[in-house]
Amino acid sequence: MNDHSNTARATASNRAVALKNALKERELVPEGYIEKFTEIMENDFDPANGARVVARAWVDPQYRQLLLSDGTAACAQFGYTGVQGEYIIALENTPTLQNVIVCTLCSCTAWPVLGLPPDWYKSFEYRARVVRESRTVLREMGLDLPDEVEIRVWDTSAETRYMVLPMRPSGTEDWTEAQLATLVTKDVLIGIARPQSPTLSPRGNQ
Amino acid sequence: MMDGIHDLGGVQGFGRVQHSANSQSYKPVFHEDWEHLGYSLLFLGAGELGLFNVDELRHAIERMEPRQYLTSSYYDRIIVGVASLFVEKGAITRQRLEELAAGAYPLALPLGTGRAARPPATPFQIGERVRVCDEHVDGHVRMPGYVRGKYGTVVHRTTHEWPFPDTVGHGLPSGSEPTYHVLFTTQELWGDAADAGTVVVDLFGSYLLKA
Protein backbone atom coordinates (compact mmCIF):
# COMPACT_ATOMS: atom_id res chain seq x y z
CA MET A 1 0.00 0.00 0.00
CA ASN A 2 1.05 3.64 -0.39
CA ASP A 3 1.83 3.89 3.25
CA HIS A 4 5.20 5.21 4.38
CA SER A 5 4.64 4.68 8.08
CA ASN A 6 5.23 1.47 9.92
CA THR A 7 1.93 1.56 11.73
CA ALA A 8 -1.00 -0.58 10.61
CA ARG A 9 -3.78 0.95 8.56
CA ALA A 10 -6.56 2.27 10.78
CA THR A 11 -9.96 0.62 10.35
CA ALA A 12 -12.41 2.02 7.81
CA SER A 13 -14.67 3.14 10.63
CA ASN A 14 -11.84 4.96 12.44
CA ARG A 15 -10.69 6.64 9.23
CA ALA A 16 -14.22 7.78 8.33
CA VAL A 17 -14.79 9.26 11.79
CA ALA A 18 -11.30 10.82 11.76
CA LEU A 19 -12.13 12.57 8.50
CA LYS A 20 -15.34 13.97 9.96
CA ASN A 21 -13.55 15.15 13.11
CA ALA A 22 -10.65 16.67 11.17
CA LEU A 23 -13.15 18.71 9.14
CA LYS A 24 -15.13 19.63 12.26
CA GLU A 25 -12.09 20.98 14.10
CA ARG A 26 -11.42 23.20 11.08
CA GLU A 27 -15.06 24.33 11.40
CA LEU A 28 -15.89 23.15 7.89
CA VAL A 29 -19.01 21.15 8.81
CA PRO A 30 -22.15 23.27 9.23
CA GLU A 31 -24.37 22.30 12.14
CA GLY A 32 -26.73 19.48 11.12
CA TYR A 33 -25.34 19.14 7.57
CA ILE A 34 -24.33 15.48 7.83
CA GLU A 35 -27.53 14.52 9.61
CA LYS A 36 -29.74 16.27 7.05
CA PHE A 37 -27.99 14.78 4.04
CA THR A 38 -28.04 11.31 5.61
CA GLU A 39 -31.77 11.64 6.25
CA ILE A 40 -32.30 12.48 2.54
CA MET A 41 -30.19 9.51 1.45
CA GLU A 42 -31.98 7.08 3.77
CA ASN A 43 -35.54 8.24 3.18
CA ASP A 44 -36.00 10.53 0.18
CA PHE A 45 -33.95 8.50 -2.31
CA ASP A 46 -36.28 5.53 -2.53
CA PRO A 47 -37.08 2.94 -5.22
CA ALA A 48 -40.75 3.46 -4.29
CA ASN A 49 -40.39 6.77 -6.14
CA GLY A 50 -39.41 5.05 -9.36
CA ALA A 51 -42.24 2.59 -8.79
CA ARG A 52 -44.75 5.47 -8.66
CA VAL A 53 -43.37 6.83 -11.92
CA VAL A 54 -43.73 3.43 -13.61
CA ALA A 55 -47.26 2.88 -12.30
CA ARG A 56 -48.33 6.32 -13.56
CA ALA A 57 -46.86 5.52 -16.98
CA TRP A 58 -48.81 2.24 -17.03
CA VAL A 59 -52.17 3.93 -16.46
CA ASP A 60 -51.69 7.29 -18.20
CA PRO A 61 -50.64 7.18 -21.89
CA GLN A 62 -49.83 10.91 -21.96
CA TYR A 63 -47.56 10.58 -18.95
CA ARG A 64 -45.93 7.54 -20.52
CA GLN A 65 -45.16 9.59 -23.62
CA LEU A 66 -43.63 12.34 -21.49
CA LEU A 67 -41.57 9.82 -19.50
CA LEU A 68 -40.12 8.36 -22.69
CA SER A 69 -39.44 11.73 -24.33
CA ASP A 70 -38.29 13.69 -21.25
CA GLY A 71 -37.69 11.45 -18.25
CA THR A 72 -36.34 14.32 -16.17
CA ALA A 73 -39.55 16.34 -16.57
CA ALA A 74 -41.74 13.28 -15.90
CA CYS A 75 -39.88 12.50 -12.65
CA ALA A 76 -39.93 16.18 -11.68
CA GLN A 77 -43.77 16.07 -11.73
CA PHE A 78 -43.46 13.96 -8.58
CA GLY A 79 -40.64 16.13 -7.19
CA TYR A 80 -38.00 13.46 -7.89
CA THR A 81 -35.07 15.70 -8.83
CA GLY A 82 -31.71 16.77 -7.51
CA VAL A 83 -28.38 15.10 -6.95
CA GLN A 84 -27.78 12.25 -9.43
CA GLY A 85 -31.13 12.95 -11.07
CA GLU A 86 -30.36 15.92 -13.32
CA TYR A 87 -30.91 14.07 -16.59
CA ILE A 88 -33.06 10.95 -16.40
CA ILE A 89 -33.78 8.65 -19.33
CA ALA A 90 -36.45 5.94 -19.04
CA LEU A 91 -35.64 2.73 -20.96
CA GLU A 92 -38.71 0.98 -22.31
CA ASN A 93 -38.83 -2.80 -22.16
CA THR A 94 -40.75 -4.59 -24.92
CA PRO A 95 -41.57 -8.25 -25.56
CA THR A 96 -38.23 -8.48 -27.41
CA LEU A 97 -36.05 -6.10 -25.37
CA GLN A 98 -34.87 -6.15 -21.75
CA ASN A 99 -32.89 -3.11 -20.58
CA VAL A 100 -30.36 -3.47 -17.76
CA ILE A 101 -28.39 -0.72 -16.01
CA VAL A 102 -24.81 -0.84 -14.71
CA CYS A 103 -21.94 1.53 -14.00
CA THR A 104 -18.72 -0.32 -14.81
CA LEU A 105 -16.37 2.52 -13.79
CA CYS A 106 -17.82 3.32 -10.35
CA SER A 107 -21.47 2.86 -9.34
CA CYS A 108 -23.52 5.80 -10.68
CA THR A 109 -27.28 5.46 -10.21
CA ALA A 110 -30.38 7.68 -10.48
CA TRP A 111 -30.61 8.26 -6.72
CA PRO A 112 -33.94 10.18 -6.61
CA VAL A 113 -35.90 7.42 -8.38
CA LEU A 114 -33.89 4.23 -7.73
CA GLY A 115 -32.42 5.03 -4.31
CA LEU A 116 -28.74 4.58 -3.54
CA PRO A 117 -27.06 1.75 -5.45
CA PRO A 118 -27.45 -1.65 -3.75
CA ASP A 119 -24.44 -3.72 -2.68
CA TRP A 120 -24.67 -6.21 -5.56
CA TYR A 121 -24.77 -3.37 -8.12
CA LYS A 122 -21.52 -2.02 -6.67
CA SER A 123 -19.84 -5.45 -6.65
CA PHE A 124 -16.83 -6.09 -8.89
CA GLU A 125 -18.66 -9.19 -10.18
CA TYR A 126 -21.63 -7.23 -11.52
CA ARG A 127 -19.54 -4.33 -12.87
CA ALA A 128 -17.12 -6.65 -14.68
CA ARG A 129 -19.51 -9.27 -15.99
CA VAL A 130 -22.91 -7.84 -16.86
CA VAL A 131 -21.73 -5.94 -19.95
CA ARG A 132 -20.03 -9.01 -21.39
CA GLU A 133 -22.15 -11.90 -20.08
CA SER A 134 -25.52 -10.26 -19.61
CA ARG A 135 -27.65 -13.33 -20.30
CA THR A 136 -25.56 -15.55 -18.03
CA VAL A 137 -25.50 -13.00 -15.20
CA LEU A 138 -29.25 -12.41 -15.37
CA ARG A 139 -29.91 -16.15 -15.42
CA GLU A 140 -27.69 -16.63 -12.37
CA MET A 141 -29.63 -13.89 -10.59
CA GLY A 142 -32.96 -15.50 -11.41
CA LEU A 143 -34.11 -13.90 -14.69
CA ASP A 144 -33.91 -16.52 -17.44
CA LEU A 145 -34.93 -14.82 -20.68
CA PRO A 146 -35.63 -16.60 -23.97
CA ASP A 147 -33.11 -16.06 -26.76
CA GLU A 148 -35.50 -13.88 -28.77
CA VAL A 149 -35.32 -11.22 -26.06
CA GLU A 150 -32.37 -8.90 -26.70
CA ILE A 151 -30.59 -7.85 -23.54
CA ARG A 152 -29.32 -4.28 -23.77
CA VAL A 153 -26.98 -3.14 -21.01
CA TRP A 154 -26.63 0.60 -20.34
CA ASP A 155 -23.27 1.61 -18.88
CA THR A 156 -23.71 4.77 -16.79
CA SER A 157 -20.34 6.14 -17.87
CA ALA A 158 -21.26 9.86 -17.95
CA GLU A 159 -24.03 11.94 -16.35
CA THR A 160 -27.19 10.43 -17.85
CA ARG A 161 -29.09 8.51 -15.18
CA TYR A 162 -31.33 5.65 -16.27
CA MET A 163 -34.43 3.86 -15.01
CA VAL A 164 -36.10 0.88 -16.65
CA LEU A 165 -39.77 1.13 -17.65
CA PRO A 166 -40.91 -2.51 -17.44
CA MET A 167 -43.90 -4.03 -19.22
CA ARG A 168 -47.12 -4.06 -17.24
CA PRO A 169 -47.92 -7.64 -16.22
CA SER A 170 -51.06 -9.17 -17.62
CA GLY A 171 -53.87 -9.74 -15.14
CA THR A 172 -53.53 -6.24 -13.69
CA GLU A 173 -56.08 -4.53 -15.94
CA ASP A 174 -58.34 -3.44 -13.06
CA TRP A 175 -55.54 -2.58 -10.62
CA THR A 176 -55.19 0.91 -9.23
CA GLU A 177 -52.02 2.96 -9.72
CA ALA A 178 -51.05 2.41 -6.08
CA GLN A 179 -51.51 -1.35 -6.40
CA LEU A 180 -49.46 -1.43 -9.59
CA ALA A 181 -46.61 0.43 -7.91
CA THR A 182 -46.18 -2.43 -5.44
CA LEU A 183 -45.06 -4.68 -8.33
CA VAL A 184 -42.08 -2.46 -9.16
CA THR A 185 -39.00 -3.13 -7.05
CA LYS A 186 -35.50 -1.66 -7.10
CA ASP A 187 -34.33 -4.73 -9.03
CA VAL A 188 -37.08 -4.19 -11.62
CA LEU A 189 -36.04 -0.54 -12.02
CA ILE A 190 -32.40 -1.59 -12.61
CA GLY A 191 -33.55 -4.29 -15.02
CA ILE A 192 -32.35 -7.55 -13.45
CA ALA A 193 -35.93 -8.56 -12.64
CA ARG A 194 -39.38 -8.24 -14.17
CA PRO A 195 -42.53 -7.33 -12.23
CA GLN A 196 -44.14 -10.38 -10.70
CA SER A 197 -47.38 -11.45 -12.37
CA PRO A 198 -50.14 -11.18 -9.84
CA THR A 199 -51.23 -14.41 -8.19
CA LEU A 200 -54.23 -12.87 -6.43
CA SER A 201 -56.73 -10.53 -7.99
CA PRO A 202 -56.70 -7.11 -6.31
CA ARG A 203 -60.31 -7.61 -5.25
CA GLY A 204 -59.15 -10.68 -3.38
CA ASN A 205 -56.75 -8.43 -1.47
CA GLN A 206 -59.38 -5.94 -0.44
CA MET B 1 -7.28 7.06 -15.68
CA MET B 2 -7.54 4.53 -18.39
CA ASP B 3 -6.17 1.05 -17.90
CA GLY B 4 -6.71 1.50 -14.16
CA ILE B 5 -7.97 -1.14 -11.75
CA HIS B 6 -11.40 0.51 -11.53
CA ASP B 7 -12.08 0.00 -15.26
CA LEU B 8 -13.75 -3.35 -14.72
CA GLY B 9 -16.18 -3.70 -17.64
CA GLY B 10 -15.50 -6.97 -19.43
CA VAL B 11 -12.67 -8.03 -17.09
CA GLN B 12 -12.78 -11.82 -16.80
CA GLY B 13 -12.36 -14.07 -13.78
CA PHE B 14 -15.06 -12.78 -11.44
CA GLY B 15 -17.64 -15.20 -10.06
CA ARG B 16 -21.34 -15.01 -9.35
CA VAL B 17 -23.02 -11.82 -8.19
CA GLN B 18 -24.06 -12.42 -4.58
CA HIS B 19 -27.69 -11.52 -5.03
CA SER B 20 -30.92 -13.09 -6.26
CA ALA B 21 -33.48 -10.85 -7.93
CA ASN B 22 -35.80 -9.27 -5.37
CA SER B 23 -34.19 -11.09 -2.45
CA GLN B 24 -33.57 -7.90 -0.45
CA SER B 25 -35.65 -5.01 0.82
CA TYR B 26 -32.64 -2.61 0.74
CA LYS B 27 -33.32 -1.38 4.25
CA PRO B 28 -31.37 -0.29 6.15
CA VAL B 29 -29.70 1.78 3.43
CA PHE B 30 -26.37 1.87 5.30
CA HIS B 31 -25.04 -1.25 7.00
CA GLU B 32 -22.41 0.31 9.26
CA ASP B 33 -22.75 3.50 11.25
CA TRP B 34 -19.89 5.31 9.46
CA GLU B 35 -20.89 4.53 5.86
CA HIS B 36 -23.17 7.58 5.44
CA LEU B 37 -20.10 9.77 5.99
CA GLY B 38 -18.78 8.79 2.55
CA TYR B 39 -21.53 10.52 0.61
CA SER B 40 -22.34 13.26 3.15
CA LEU B 41 -18.71 14.44 3.37
CA LEU B 42 -18.41 14.14 -0.42
CA PHE B 43 -21.31 16.54 -0.88
CA LEU B 44 -20.00 18.75 1.90
CA GLY B 45 -16.80 19.20 -0.12
CA ALA B 46 -18.34 19.18 -3.61
CA GLY B 47 -21.58 21.10 -2.92
CA GLU B 48 -21.57 23.05 0.31
CA LEU B 49 -17.89 24.09 0.30
CA GLY B 50 -17.27 23.95 -3.47
CA LEU B 51 -13.72 22.68 -2.86
CA PHE B 52 -13.84 19.97 -5.53
CA ASN B 53 -16.24 18.28 -7.94
CA VAL B 54 -17.59 14.74 -8.34
CA ASP B 55 -15.27 14.01 -11.29
CA GLU B 56 -12.32 14.83 -9.06
CA LEU B 57 -13.74 12.40 -6.50
CA ARG B 58 -14.06 9.65 -9.11
CA HIS B 59 -10.49 10.28 -10.19
CA ALA B 60 -9.19 10.34 -6.61
CA ILE B 61 -10.69 6.86 -6.12
CA GLU B 62 -9.06 5.71 -9.37
CA ARG B 63 -5.74 7.01 -8.03
CA MET B 64 -5.87 4.62 -5.07
CA GLU B 65 -3.13 2.01 -5.15
CA PRO B 66 -4.69 -0.99 -6.95
CA ARG B 67 -4.37 -3.48 -4.09
CA GLN B 68 -5.91 -0.95 -1.72
CA TYR B 69 -8.76 -0.34 -4.22
CA LEU B 70 -9.56 -4.03 -4.56
CA THR B 71 -9.55 -4.77 -0.85
CA SER B 72 -11.53 -1.73 0.31
CA SER B 73 -15.32 -1.68 0.55
CA TYR B 74 -17.34 0.72 -1.62
CA TYR B 75 -17.88 3.33 1.12
CA ASP B 76 -14.28 2.98 2.28
CA ARG B 77 -13.14 3.89 -1.24
CA ILE B 78 -15.37 6.98 -1.11
CA ILE B 79 -13.87 7.97 2.26
CA VAL B 80 -10.32 7.54 0.90
CA GLY B 81 -11.18 9.60 -2.19
CA VAL B 82 -12.85 12.39 -0.22
CA ALA B 83 -10.08 12.47 2.40
CA SER B 84 -7.46 12.63 -0.38
CA LEU B 85 -9.17 15.64 -1.94
CA PHE B 86 -9.58 17.53 1.35
CA VAL B 87 -5.85 16.97 1.97
CA GLU B 88 -4.82 17.91 -1.59
CA LYS B 89 -6.92 21.10 -1.40
CA GLY B 90 -5.17 22.04 1.84
CA ALA B 91 -8.22 21.93 4.11
CA ILE B 92 -6.74 19.29 6.44
CA THR B 93 -3.50 17.32 6.71
CA ARG B 94 -2.77 13.64 6.41
CA GLN B 95 -0.81 13.84 9.63
CA ARG B 96 -3.90 15.04 11.51
CA LEU B 97 -6.00 12.28 9.94
CA GLU B 98 -3.49 9.65 11.12
CA GLU B 99 -3.46 11.13 14.64
CA LEU B 100 -7.25 11.10 14.83
CA ALA B 101 -7.58 7.62 13.30
CA ALA B 102 -4.73 6.26 15.50
CA GLY B 103 -3.19 4.43 12.56
CA ALA B 104 -1.96 4.72 9.01
CA TYR B 105 -4.25 6.57 6.58
CA PRO B 106 -3.23 5.69 3.00
CA LEU B 107 -4.53 8.20 0.46
CA ALA B 108 -4.73 8.39 -3.34
CA LEU B 109 -1.47 8.54 -5.30
CA PRO B 110 -0.50 11.96 -6.78
CA LEU B 111 -2.60 13.72 -9.40
CA GLY B 112 -1.22 13.96 -12.97
CA THR B 113 -2.06 16.46 -15.69
CA GLY B 114 -5.50 16.55 -17.31
CA ARG B 115 -6.30 17.21 -20.94
CA ALA B 116 -8.55 19.54 -22.89
CA ALA B 117 -11.77 18.60 -24.70
CA ARG B 118 -11.85 18.14 -28.49
CA PRO B 119 -15.57 18.08 -29.23
CA PRO B 120 -16.63 17.20 -32.79
CA ALA B 121 -16.86 20.16 -35.19
CA THR B 122 -20.41 19.09 -36.08
CA PRO B 123 -22.56 17.19 -33.60
CA PHE B 124 -23.19 13.52 -34.35
CA GLN B 125 -26.74 12.59 -35.35
CA ILE B 126 -29.01 9.79 -34.20
CA GLY B 127 -28.32 6.71 -36.29
CA GLU B 128 -24.83 7.85 -37.24
CA ARG B 129 -22.00 5.31 -37.10
CA VAL B 130 -19.09 6.44 -34.93
CA ARG B 131 -15.76 5.07 -33.82
CA VAL B 132 -14.38 5.52 -30.32
CA CYS B 133 -10.90 7.07 -30.40
CA ASP B 134 -8.19 4.41 -30.29
CA GLU B 135 -6.12 6.17 -27.68
CA HIS B 136 -4.46 5.74 -24.31
CA VAL B 137 -5.01 8.44 -21.71
CA ASP B 138 -2.89 9.19 -18.64
CA GLY B 139 -5.37 11.22 -16.62
CA HIS B 140 -9.05 10.91 -15.73
CA VAL B 141 -11.31 9.63 -18.51
CA ARG B 142 -14.90 8.37 -18.62
CA MET B 143 -14.49 6.16 -21.64
CA PRO B 144 -14.35 2.52 -20.53
CA GLY B 145 -11.38 0.67 -21.99
CA TYR B 146 -13.64 -1.96 -23.54
CA VAL B 147 -14.95 0.49 -26.16
CA ARG B 148 -11.54 1.85 -27.18
CA GLY B 149 -11.30 1.89 -30.99
CA LYS B 150 -14.71 0.18 -31.36
CA TYR B 151 -17.50 1.01 -33.78
CA GLY B 152 -21.03 1.77 -32.68
CA THR B 153 -24.22 3.66 -33.54
CA VAL B 154 -25.49 6.85 -31.90
CA VAL B 155 -28.95 6.26 -30.37
CA HIS B 156 -29.29 9.51 -28.38
CA ARG B 157 -27.65 12.91 -27.98
CA THR B 158 -28.35 14.49 -24.61
CA THR B 159 -30.16 17.81 -24.46
CA HIS B 160 -28.11 18.65 -21.37
CA GLU B 161 -24.39 19.52 -21.41
CA TRP B 162 -21.65 18.78 -18.90
CA PRO B 163 -18.01 19.83 -18.40
CA PHE B 164 -15.42 17.45 -19.82
CA PRO B 165 -14.40 14.92 -17.12
CA ASP B 166 -10.81 14.63 -18.39
CA THR B 167 -10.42 18.35 -17.60
CA VAL B 168 -12.60 19.00 -14.55
CA GLY B 169 -11.50 15.71 -12.99
CA HIS B 170 -8.13 17.43 -12.60
CA GLY B 171 -9.66 20.55 -11.04
CA LEU B 172 -9.33 22.57 -14.25
CA PRO B 173 -12.10 24.69 -15.83
CA SER B 174 -13.88 23.30 -18.89
CA GLY B 175 -16.65 24.20 -21.28
CA SER B 176 -19.66 21.90 -21.51
CA GLU B 177 -20.72 19.45 -24.21
CA PRO B 178 -23.53 16.96 -24.72
CA THR B 179 -22.89 13.23 -24.48
CA TYR B 180 -23.91 10.50 -26.90
CA HIS B 181 -25.49 7.15 -26.11
CA VAL B 182 -23.61 4.81 -28.42
CA LEU B 183 -24.87 1.28 -29.09
CA PHE B 184 -22.33 -1.52 -29.56
CA THR B 185 -22.86 -5.22 -30.16
CA THR B 186 -21.02 -7.52 -27.77
CA GLN B 187 -19.67 -9.18 -30.93
CA GLU B 188 -17.93 -5.90 -31.82
CA LEU B 189 -16.58 -5.54 -28.28
CA TRP B 190 -15.45 -9.07 -27.45
CA GLY B 191 -16.00 -11.22 -30.52
CA ASP B 192 -17.35 -14.65 -29.71
CA ALA B 193 -16.09 -14.55 -26.12
CA ALA B 194 -19.27 -12.87 -24.86
CA ASP B 195 -23.01 -13.49 -24.61
CA ALA B 196 -24.91 -12.16 -27.63
CA GLY B 197 -26.39 -8.78 -26.79
CA THR B 198 -25.86 -5.05 -26.96
CA VAL B 199 -24.24 -2.44 -24.71
CA VAL B 200 -24.94 1.30 -24.74
CA VAL B 201 -22.19 3.55 -23.40
CA ASP B 202 -22.68 7.26 -22.55
CA LEU B 203 -19.74 9.00 -24.24
CA PHE B 204 -18.58 12.58 -24.56
CA GLY B 205 -18.19 13.76 -28.17
CA SER B 206 -14.50 14.28 -27.47
CA TYR B 207 -14.08 10.51 -27.31
CA LEU B 208 -15.75 9.91 -30.71
CA LEU B 209 -14.82 10.09 -34.38
CA LYS B 210 -16.91 9.79 -37.51
CA ALA B 211 -16.81 6.17 -38.63
Side-chain angles (χ1 to χ4, degrees):
Chain A
M1 310 256 165
N2 58 327
D3 172 17
H4 342 120
S5 70
N6 292 318
T7 50
R9 178 162 62 145
T11 63
S13 171
N14 284 354
R15 283 180 288 109
V17 173
L19 175 59
K20 178 184 75 174
N21 289 337
L23 294 167
K24 277 197 165 167
E25 64 187 18
R26 299 296 306 274
E27 297 183 354
L28 291 171
V29 187
E31 183 72 31
Y33 181 86
I34 292 171
E35 293 74 11
K36 185 172 166 224
F37 198 77
T38 302
E39 158 87 17
I40 291 170
M41 290 189 289
E42 288 185 320
N43 300 312
D44 294 4
F45 299 149
D46 190 342
N49 298 346
R52 286 184 203 104
V53 169
V54 167
R56 174 73 50 87
W58 280 347
V59 301
D60 179 344
Q62 257 188 324
Y63 183 79
R64 178 190 189 87
Q65 205 170 29
L66 175 66
L67 179 62
L68 292 173
S69 60
D70 188 347
T72 321
C75 292
Q77 284 195 2
F78 285 90
Y80 307 149
T81 57
V83 174
Q84 297 293 306
E86 292 169 1
Y87 189 79
I88 296 173
I89 295 273
L91 307 169
E92 184 182 26
N93 286 350
T94 72
T96 56
L97 180 67
Q98 175 74 31
N99 295 288
V100 181
I101 305 165
V102 66
C103 172
T104 62
L105 295 171
C106 40
S107 287
C108 299
T109 318
W111 292 358
V113 278
L114 268 58
L116 297 187
D119 294 335
W120 61 265
Y121 181 93
K122 298 180 287 195
S123 72
F124 298 147
E125 288 81 5
Y126 186 73
R127 287 168 51 193
R129 292 182 63 210
V130 79
V131 281
R132 184 163 176 169
E133 301 175 74
S134 54
R135 200 169 296 272
T136 306
V137 169
L138 261 53
R139 191 185 303 123
E140 287 173 359
M141 296 176 85
L143 182 62
D144 193 0
L145 295 171
D147 284 348
E148 58 268 26
V149 177
E150 174 191 334
I151 302 175
R152 184 172 294 176
V153 179
W154 299 73
D155 192 348
T156 313
S157 50
E159 298 303 328
T160 307
R161 295 292 172 266
Y162 302 104
M163 61 173 285
V164 172
L165 173 59
M167 288 182 294
R168 180 173 174 167
S170 57
T172 61
E173 289 72 17
D174 53 356
W175 284 40
T176 66
E177 201 176 312
Q179 287 170 324
L180 288 167
T182 64
L183 296 172
V184 183
T185 63
K186 191 178 192 105
D187 290 3
V188 167
L189 292 164
I190 295 172
I192 61 146
R194 286 179 161 186
Q196 296 296 305
S197 277
T199 46
L200 291 171
S201 84
R203 291 202 183 86
N205 289 338
Q206 284 165 357
Chain B
M1 70 204 84
M2 225 161 170
D3 310 313
I5 197 70
H6 69 286
D7 191 355
L8 285 168
V11 171
Q12 293 177 293
F14 288 101
R16 287 178 83 104
V17 180
Q18 296 301 310
H19 175 69
S20 305
N22 292 331
S23 63
Q24 287 169 15
S25 69
Y26 301 112
K27 294 279 184 177
V29 170
F30 297 106
H31 305 305
E32 295 188 38
D33 62 6
W34 58 270
E35 289 182 338
H36 69 279
L37 292 170
Y39 284 150
S40 56
L41 297 178
L42 160 62
F43 284 95
L44 173 70
E48 181 76 15
L49 301 174
L51 273 179
F52 48 80
N53 59 58
V54 175
D55 283 294
E56 286 179 280
L57 183 271
R58 293 189 183 116
H59 190 44
I61 292 170
E62 295 163 8
R63 291 189 279 118
M64 288 172 71
E65 200 278 335
R67 280 162 293 197
Q68 184 186 356
Y69 181 98
L70 286 174
T71 53
S72 301
S73 71
Y74 175 80
Y75 285 113
D76 191 9
R77 296 196 299 272
I78 307 265
I79 290 289
V80 172
V82 172
S84 299
L85 289 170
F86 274 116
V87 169
E88 290 172 8
K89 303 291 179 184
I92 53 175
T93 66
R94 176 169 172 183
Q95 186 190 349
R96 187 60 186 141
L97 287 173
E98 295 195 327
E99 287 165 7
L100 289 168
Y105 207 123
L107 297 173
L109 297 179
L111 179 68
T113 49
R115 62 171 187 166
R118 302 155 307 174
T122 20
F124 299 112
Q125 303 301 317
I126 310 293
E128 192 170 349
R129 291 280 290 167
V130 288
R131 186 180 188 211
V132 182
C133 296
D134 187 4
E135 64 182 356
H136 297 262
V137 181
D138 282 331
H140 183 54
V141 63
R142 291 294 289 181
M143 160 189 145
Y146 69 84
V147 296
R148 176 163 43 206
K150 302 294 184 182
Y151 291 86
T153 304
V154 173
V155 295
H156 180 78
R157 182 175 72 224
T158 62
T159 54
H160 221 76
E161 298 187 346
W162 296 273
F164 191 49
D166 307 26
T167 311
V168 289
H170 290 257
L172 303 168
S174 158
S176 292
E177 51 174 300
T179 63
Y180 297 87
H181 300 173
V182 182
L183 178 80
F184 303 89
T185 63
T186 54
Q187 176 75 36
E188 164 70 8
L189 299 174
W190 297 287
D192 291 333
D195 290 353
T198 50
V199 179
V200 178
V201 185
D202 192 3
L203 296 166
F204 281 79
S206 292
Y207 302 148
L208 300 173
L209 302 167
K210 263 178 120 57

